[in-house]
Amino acid sequence: MYINSNGNVTFEQASLDWLPQQIQANAPLPRIAPFFADIDTRNSFFVTSPGGTSKGSNLIYWDLDSVKNIITITWDDVGYYSQNSSKVNAFQLRLIRIGNDGEFDIEFRYEAIGWTSADSQQGVNGFGGIIARAGYTASDTRNFYELPQSGKQGSLSNLTLEPNGI
């Protein structure tokens, strides 16, 4: 598994994709993306999103709980391209092993979504460019799902999920 800075993990190899793409069945790489967007962690000016436990680090962390069989990847108050952190996003991906056959649950957690696109490709102030995508693909032509909010400006800026998932 490869943790990519742009809000996703891939399998087989790291992804160099910096612009979000629609999550499809025939994608080039298996990918799980809680918020596939043009994230930029280079800025050293930090903003902390309100109402949660994020730390305003503009960094990406991972944690492996080998007792409960959960890996958690956290994008902690990350900014957007190019070196903008006036608005930040805080979100997590949790992969939870169920059984011994390689099966797992996918959990997306969102604390704060302050922007939806980079200031490139016609984006201005974190909005209006190529909008973030969220979902997963096994890259096998049949197993994939993209959240209905993906690629939609108004839907992603107010992203919420039911407590028990989709």
Side-chain angles (χ1 to χ4, degrees):
M1 180 173 74
Y2 298 86
I3 300 170
N4 302 299
S5 63
N6 290 329
N8 65 86
V9 299
T10 51
F11 303 86
E12 299 175 6
Q13 68 184 47
S15 172
L16 300 177
D17 298 326
W18 51 275
L19 285 178
Q21 304 154 10
Q22 184 176 11
I23 298 177
Q24 303 177 54
N26 62 346
L29 290 173
R31 180 184 315 264
I32 303 172
F35 200 85
F36 186 9
D38 196 0
I39 293 169
D40 193 338
T41 60
R42 296 177 295 165
N43 197 340
S44 59
F45 174 72
F46 307 121
V47 174
T48 303
S49 56
T53 59
S54 59
K55 298 177 180 16
S57 70
N58 195 31
L59 295 173
I60 303 160
Y61 302 96
W62 64 273
D63 176 73
L64 176 61
D65 182 335
S66 58
V67 174
K68 294 182 180 178
N69 296 314
I70 299 171
I71 186 164
T72 303
I73 299 104
T74 302
W75 287 264
D76 182 60
D77 289 330
V78 291
Y80 54 96
Y81 184 82
S82 167
Q83 294 184 321
N84 291 297
S85 60
S86 58
K87 298 178 178 100
V88 294
N89 293 346
F91 58 94
Q92 290 182 326
L93 167 63
R94 290 176 37 131
L95 302 177
I96 306 158
R97 189 172 101 182
I98 52 172
N100 294 319
D101 295 328
E103 295 179 5
F104 58 92
D105 282 338
I106 300 169
E107 185 177 287
F108 296 163
R109 293 177 159 192
Y110 301 93
E111 179 179 285
I113 302 298
W115 60 271
T116 59
S117 69
D119 281 358
S120 62
Q121 308 295 317
Q122 300 178 338
V124 176
N125 230 8
F127 297 99
I130 297 176
I131 310 302
R133 312 300 284 213
Y136 69 87
T137 179
S139 186
D140 64 358
T141 70
R142 59 180 196 274
N143 295 298
F144 76 103
Y145 181 80
E146 184 174 68
L147 272 66
Q149 299 93 332
S150 287
K152 297 176 184 170
Q153 184 68 64
S155 296
L156 271 181
S157 59
N158 296 308
L159 192 59
T160 58
L161 294 176
E162 295 297 317
N164 293 328
I166 301 171

